[in-house]
Amino acid sequence: MGRGDGTGRLVSRPDADDTGTGILHVDMDAFFASVAVLDDPSLAGKPLIIGGSEGRGVVSSASYEARRYGVKSAMPVSIALRLCPTAIVVNPPYHRYTEMSRQVMAIFHDVTPLVEPLSIDEAFLDVRGARRLWGSPGTIARDLRARVKAETGLTCSIGVAATKHVAKMASTISKPDGLLVVAAADTEAFLRPRSVRALWGVGPKAAEALESRGIRLISDILDTPRHALDQVLGAAMGERIWHLSRGIDAREVHTGRSEKSVGHEETFHTDISDTRTLHVELRRLADRVGARLRTQQYEASTISIKVRFSDFTTLSRSRTLPEPTSVGQRISDAAIELFDGIDRRQAVRLVGVRGEKLKPAAMAATLWDDDAEWRRVEGALDGAAARFGRGAVTRGSLLGPARGGGALPTNPRPSYEH
């Protein structure tokens, strides 16, 4: 398995057997860094860091040249620059990423209507029904890579397999700019030598639990009785990896993509201890979450917060609301209540607010709506944002100490989960 920097890369020959396949996982290569190079070709071949360059900026992405020095996403830029002092920090406007993503996704939809986006730069495609038009899955993947390169200037890596799980593993191993085809009959042979950490859903703690018992490779899982896996991981996780290690994955490509959560978080220039300042920041984030929920016509049933302290200790808290909401005031009230319940003995480095367990927004108003006035106010803010831009008009309560004296966030960014 590659380490995310292009080492350990495996690709298929042009005549690779694609019998029994039909699922493609397409992943753009170092997408954010590649878009930066597209806009400034002089950056090609250089170690690039995408992120804020001042204060406590965080790495959003990095080129493969930078990754080989150990630079990773979510790493503080200051640490990344110590690992790779020659790296260039760039931060193209976010609209460039969404613009390029739309172009790429449009190409995918030209091949098949069965496209399941996972994020801004990757998607599953079911091409089993496109054979008559475009050829076998392997042929479709080769042509798709060439078309993406010709029309956008970007490269992508594609895994072709019989299931979503194996296709995703294959695309990862083939990066960057590669194609790896795993015929249905070759699935077990492909999986056996891979690390247990390559299995979808096996996080660091689960991997450590398995490795501590000598289960390091997928072949070890195949040789482990099912009841033993359940004892180590629990019945649900045990069942999942038992199936995935055998290439069993019944999940279909779903075109109706819906977000499971919507969140925003901010990292501060300097650690903050003042409770009022932190309350203001939580309300600001809650308003942004509410605005996104309303734009996407969702309501959140659960509100969660994330708090990172000066020593990098990170806590999260959540609560379920009596009724789902997209009202920023209601979200901020819940967030502040959760925050005030935390025993804070250190200054705060980062705060985040997230709406979870999303449901389609209720279309009909109830007879008594306790949030009617806030809906009217926030609807007016939405209208102003649409005309003049987000932040042109805001609540007076947000014009507090959080916007003065070094408390400006250095890395305000949306966080997505699908």
Side-chain angles (χ1 to χ4, degrees):
M1 175 66 85
R3 298 183 306 181
D5 60 4
T7 58
R9 175 177 178 267
L10 295 176
V11 296
S12 293
R13 299 182 306 179
D15 61 347
D17 179 18
D18 61 2
T19 304
T21 65
I23 306 298
L24 276 55
H25 179 260
V26 188
D27 198 355
M28 304 305 295
D29 296 319
F31 179 65
F32 292 85
S34 296
V35 171
V37 172
L38 202 62
D39 292 344
D40 183 359
S42 69
L43 298 175
K46 298 177 180 178
L48 302 180
I49 293 172
I50 309 299
S53 59
E54 299 180 357
R56 291 179 172 176
V58 174
V59 177
S60 297
S61 181
S63 66
Y64 289 97
E65 292 80 4
R67 295 181 193 187
R68 292 181 185 123
Y69 287 85
V71 177
K72 300 178 181 179
S73 297
M75 174 184 288
V77 170
S78 58
I79 294 177
L81 288 173
R82 286 202 292 271
L83 292 172
C84 184
T86 60
I88 302 170
V89 181
V90 294
N91 198 7
Y94 192 78
H95 73 81
R96 284 290 291 138
Y97 305 133
T98 57
E99 175 186 335
M100 297 308 301
S101 176
R102 281 194 295 269
Q103 291 185 35
V104 169
M105 295 296 170
I107 295 172
F108 297 169
H109 280 92
D110 281 349
V111 174
T112 173
L114 300 178
V115 177
E116 180 183 343
L118 295 181
S119 65
I120 196 172
D121 62 346
E122 64 174 319
F124 285 114
L125 282 67
D126 185 338
V127 299
R128 289 175 291 186
R131 294 169 180 265
R132 290 186 179 181
L133 281 175
W134 312 115
S136 71
T139 299
I140 293 173
R142 283 188 288 273
D143 292 346
L144 182 59
R145 292 183 64 245
R147 184 177 169 188
V148 168
K149 175 65 175 177
E151 295 186 19
T152 70
L154 302 173
T155 64
C156 64
S157 298
I158 302 182
V160 183
T163 66
K164 293 170 75 171
H165 178 242
V166 176
K168 185 171 175 66
M169 288 180 65
S171 71
T172 301
I173 294 171
S174 71
K175 295 182 77 68
D177 194 17
L179 167 64
L180 184 56
V181 181
V182 181
D186 297 333
T187 298
E188 183 175 327
F190 169 77
L191 291 172
R192 272 189 168 274
R194 312 294 164 204
S195 166
V196 295
R197 294 175 181 264
L199 287 172
W200 204 346
V202 174
K205 289 185 178 180
E208 290 170 6
L210 290 168
E211 291 167 350
S212 68
R213 291 162 174 81
I215 305 172
R216 300 181 178 278
L217 303 177
I218 293 177
S219 59
D220 298 325
I221 295 176
L222 296 174
D223 296 334
T224 301
R226 169 65 189 282
H227 68 84
L229 293 175
D230 292 351
Q231 289 176 351
V232 175
L233 302 172
M237 176 67 82
E239 179 182 20
R240 180 189 305 169
I241 72 162
W242 189 92
H243 282 96
L244 292 180
S245 66
R246 287 161 171 77
I248 302 171
D249 182 6
R251 293 171 300 170
E252 297 289 339
V253 172
H254 293 291
T255 57
R257 173 171 171 260
S258 61
E259 289 190 88
K260 296 179 181 177
S261 65
V262 167
H264 284 275
E265 59 186 45
E266 293 185 354
T267 302
F268 304 117
H269 274 308
T270 56
D271 299 335
I272 298 176
S273 299
D274 181 67
T275 299
R276 183 183 167 214
T277 299
L278 292 166
H279 281 183
V280 169
E281 289 301 332
L282 287 166
R283 289 201 182 278
R284 192 188 323 277
L285 293 171
D287 274 349
R288 295 171 67 186
V289 170
R292 279 182 58 199
L293 288 169
R294 293 190 295 277
T295 297
Q296 299 173 22
Q297 297 186 337
Y298 281 110
E299 292 180 329
S301 301
T302 297
I303 303 302
S304 68
I305 64 168
K306 174 180 175 182
V307 181
R308 180 169 296 153
F309 296 103
S310 55
D311 66 351
F312 283 85
T313 300
T314 304
L315 300 177
S316 60
R317 298 287 187 270
S318 65
R319 59 165 292 198
T320 299
L321 302 174
E323 297 289 340
T325 188
S326 61
V327 175
Q329 180 70 23
R330 188 69 65 198
I331 295 169
S332 65
D333 288 347
I336 288 173
E337 181 179 338
L338 289 167
F339 179 80
D340 288 346
I342 294 175
D343 181 16
R344 288 187 291 118
R345 300 183 182 180
Q346 298 184 54
V348 174
R349 175 187 178 91
L350 172 151
V351 291
V353 178
R354 179 176 292 278
E356 301 175 336
K357 296 183 180 178
L358 307 189
K359 298 180 179 180
M363 299 303 294
T366 58
L367 186 58
W368 290 281
D369 184 359
D370 293 337
D371 292 330
E373 185 62 21
W374 281 115
R375 292 183 197 279
R376 185 185 66 78
V377 171
E378 294 183 6
L381 291 174
D382 291 342
R387 292 186 62 190
F388 306 113
R390 181 66 59 186
V393 181
T394 189
R395 301 172 188 258
S397 62
L398 298 186
L399 301 176
R403 288 303 185 194
L408 277 168
T410 66
N411 196 48
R413 63 192 188 276
S415 53
Y416 303 86
E417 181 177 321
H418 303 292

